[in-house]
Coordinates of all heavy atoms in Angstrom, one line a residue:
N12 N 183.1 94.7 123.5 CA 183.2 93.2 123.4 C 182.0 92.5 122.8 O 181.8 91.3 123.1 CB 183.6 92.6 124.8 CG 184.9 93.1 125.3 OD1 185.9 93.2 124.5 ND2 185.0 93.4 126.5
F13 N 181.2 93.2 122.0 CA 180.1 92.5 121.3 C 180.2 92.8 119.8 O 180.6 93.9 119.4 CB 178.8 93.0 121.8 CG 178.4 92.5 123.2 CD1 178.7 93.3 124.3 CD2 177.9 91.3 123.3 CE1 178.3 92.8 125.6 CE2 177.5 90.8 124.6 CZ 177.8 91.6 125.7
C14 N 179.9 91.9 119.0 CA 179.8 92.1 117.5 C 178.6 93.0 117.2 O 177.5 92.7 117.7 CB 179.7 90.8 116.8 SG 181.2 89.7 117.0
T15 N 178.8 94.0 116.4 CA 177.8 95.0 116.1 C 177.7 95.2 114.6 O 178.6 94.8 113.9 CB 178.1 96.3 116.9 OG1 179.3 96.8 116.4 CG2 178.1 96.1 118.4
S16 N 176.7 96.0 114.2 CA 176.6 96.3 112.8 C 177.7 97.2 112.3 O 178.0 97.2 111.1 CB 175.2 97.0 112.6 OG 174.2 96.2 113.0
C17 N 178.2 98.1 113.2 CA 179.2 99.1 112.7 C 180.1 99.6 113.8 O 179.8 99.5 115.0 CB 178.5 100.2 112.1 SG 177.5 101.2 113.2
T18 N 181.3 100.1 113.4 CA 182.2 100.9 114.2 C 182.4 102.2 113.5 O 183.0 103.1 114.1 CB 183.5 100.2 114.4 OG1 184.1 99.8 113.2 CG2 183.3 98.9 115.3
S19 N 182.0 102.3 112.3 CA 182.1 103.6 111.5 C 181.0 103.6 110.5 O 180.4 102.5 110.1 CB 183.5 103.8 110.9 OG 183.6 102.9 109.8
T20 N 180.7 104.8 109.9 CA 179.7 104.9 108.9 C 180.0 104.0 107.7 O 179.1 103.6 106.9 CB 179.5 106.4 108.5 OG1 179.0 107.0 109.7 CG2 178.5 106.6 107.4
A21 N 181.3 103.8 107.4 CA 181.7 102.9 106.3 C 181.1 101.5 106.4 O 180.8 100.9 105.3 CB 183.2 102.8 106.3
N22 N 180.8 101.0 107.6 CA 180.1 99.7 107.8 C 178.7 99.8 107.4 O 178.0 98.7 107.3 CB 180.2 99.2 109.2 CG 181.7 99.1 109.7 OD1 182.0 99.7 110.7 ND2 182.5 98.3 109.0
C23 N 178.1 101.0 107.2 CA 176.6 101.1 107.0 C 176.3 101.3 105.5 O 175.1 101.5 105.2 CB 176.1 102.2 107.9 SG 176.3 102.0 109.6
T24 N 177.3 101.4 104.6 CA 177.0 101.6 103.2 C 176.2 100.4 102.7 O 176.4 99.3 103.1 CB 178.3 101.9 102.4 OG1 179.1 100.7 102.6 CG2 179.0 103.1 102.9
G25 N 175.4 100.6 101.7 CA 174.7 99.6 101.0 C 173.3 99.3 101.7 O 172.6 98.5 101.2
Q26 N 173.0 99.9 102.8 CA 171.7 99.8 103.5 C 170.8 100.8 102.9 O 171.2 101.9 102.6 CB 171.9 99.9 105.0 CG 172.7 98.8 105.6 CD 172.6 98.7 107.1 OE1 171.5 99.1 107.6 NE2 173.6 98.2 107.8
A27 N 169.5 100.5 102.9 CA 168.5 101.4 102.3 C 168.5 102.8 102.9 O 168.7 103.8 102.2 CB 167.1 100.7 102.4

Side-chain angles (χ1 to χ4, degrees):
N12 295 322
F13 287 97
C14 294
T15 60
S16 299
C17 65
T18 55
S19 73
T20 296
N22 301 121
C23 301
T24 57
Q26 296 195 25

